[in-house]
Amino acid sequence: MINLVLFGKPGAGKGTQAAFLKATFNLVHISTGDLFRYNIKNKTALGQKAQSFMDKGDLVPDRVTIEMLEAEVDRNPEVKGFIFDGFPRTKAQAQALDVFIEAKNMKINATIALEANDDILVKRLLERGETSGRSDDQDESKIRNRFDEYKLKTAPLKDYYEGQHKFHSVNGIGSINEITERLTNLIVSLN
Ligand code: AMP
């Protein structure tokens, strides 16, 4: 079994790359952002809880997010492993994930950060916003707020995972294929 965490600021390419990696390594891809959007679209109680935070580009509270993630893992027994995309985003989420998966005799094999600078990411996100219809991709101040949330709450996880010798960083600038190759090489080298 192999369980990976994909890190990176909004627009770094986590979702795009997770789609390739999931096929190559036969993993289940769990994106907390996608799960929240699905719940909002279907007007569930969970979607209602998340919407106001997402609209502003703020993180959804930990408790709501952790419960949703754990339920999604439990919905997928007997799998070869998971790619966690956009989770954990806070230290409390990382600690909860460790406790949860250890209780299942699983472990996180690696956390991989896709690195790119803010100006490139803002441009990518605004372009994506033209076609994705995501309101949080269409407004530069919301995008910058998402980066601020990342710097404040998510970036410290680098130290958390470095402490576990699980942190890897990959250059997220280049063609989609180039980045997929960098990630694939890294994952193969983990074994
Ligand atoms: P994403 O699709 O990963 O860019 O996430 C979009 C939005 O969903 C974020 O700006 C947050 O509002 C929310 N979200 C996604 N994942 C998390 C998480 N792990 N913790 C808190 N909020 C999250």
Side-chain angles (χ1 to χ4, degrees):
M1 191 174 202
I2 179 161
N3 297 301
L4 305 170
V5 171
L6 267 190
F7 267 144
K9 288 182 189 157
K14 300 185 295 293
T16 305
Q17 293 300 332
F20 289 110
L21 299 177
K22 128 186 174 177
T24 306
F25 296 99
N26 200 5
L27 305 174
V28 171
H29 172 205
I30 299 185
S31 154
T32 40
D34 285 350
L35 289 173
F36 283 132
R37 281 184 288 279
Y38 175 85
N39 277 279
I40 289 173
K41 194 165 149 228
N42 289 287
K43 301 194 180 355
T44 68
L46 176 65
Q48 272 170 6
K49 281 186 204 158
Q51 182 150 30
S52 63
F53 298 97
M54 287 180 75
D55 282 347
K56 286 184 280 195
D58 290 343
L59 291 187
V60 177
D62 282 334
R63 194 180 47 79
V64 177
T65 308
I66 291 165
E67 273 176 20
M68 176 180 76
L69 185 281
E70 293 184 353
E72 193 61 22
V73 170
D74 284 339
R75 269 185 1 98
N76 290 278
E78 311 287 325
V79 298
K80 288 236 157 80
F82 293 93
I83 303 181
F84 298 106
D85 156 8
F87 185 96
R89 265 170 149 110
T90 64
K91 196 164 171 204
Q93 291 180 15
Q95 287 167 331
L97 181 63
D98 276 348
V99 171
F100 178 68
I101 68 166
E102 269 170 43
K104 294 179 173 297
N105 288 322
M106 291 160 50
K107 64 169 186 166
I108 297 294
N109 297 78
T111 68
I112 308 173
L114 278 172
E115 310 278 5
N117 71 48
D118 287 10
D119 291 338
I120 290 185
L121 296 177
V122 172
K123 190 165 161 283
R124 277 191 196 168
L125 287 168
L126 289 170
E127 277 168 14
R128 181 170 85 182
E130 285 173 19
T131 50
S132 71
R134 280 180 57 173
S135 64
D136 60 347
D137 283 347
Q138 289 168 350
D139 175 333
E140 187 162 341
S141 69
K142 287 183 190 173
I143 292 174
R144 297 268 176 204
N145 185 42
R146 284 155 70 199
F147 290 169
D148 289 345
E149 287 280 79
Y150 185 90
K151 279 173 201 144
L152 189 70
K153 298 174 184 168
T154 310
L157 292 184
K158 180 172 188 240
D159 288 347
Y160 181 84
Y161 284 113
E162 269 179 345
Q164 299 186 0
H165 309 290
K166 288 181 185 165
F167 188 82
H168 305 265
S169 152
V170 163
N171 178 1
I173 301 185
S175 71
I176 290 177
N177 285 344
E178 280 165 354
I179 299 164
T180 309
E181 202 178 318
R182 285 174 204 151
L183 288 166
T184 307
N185 290 341
L186 169 64
I187 296 165
V188 168
S189 78
L190 292 172
N191 294 316

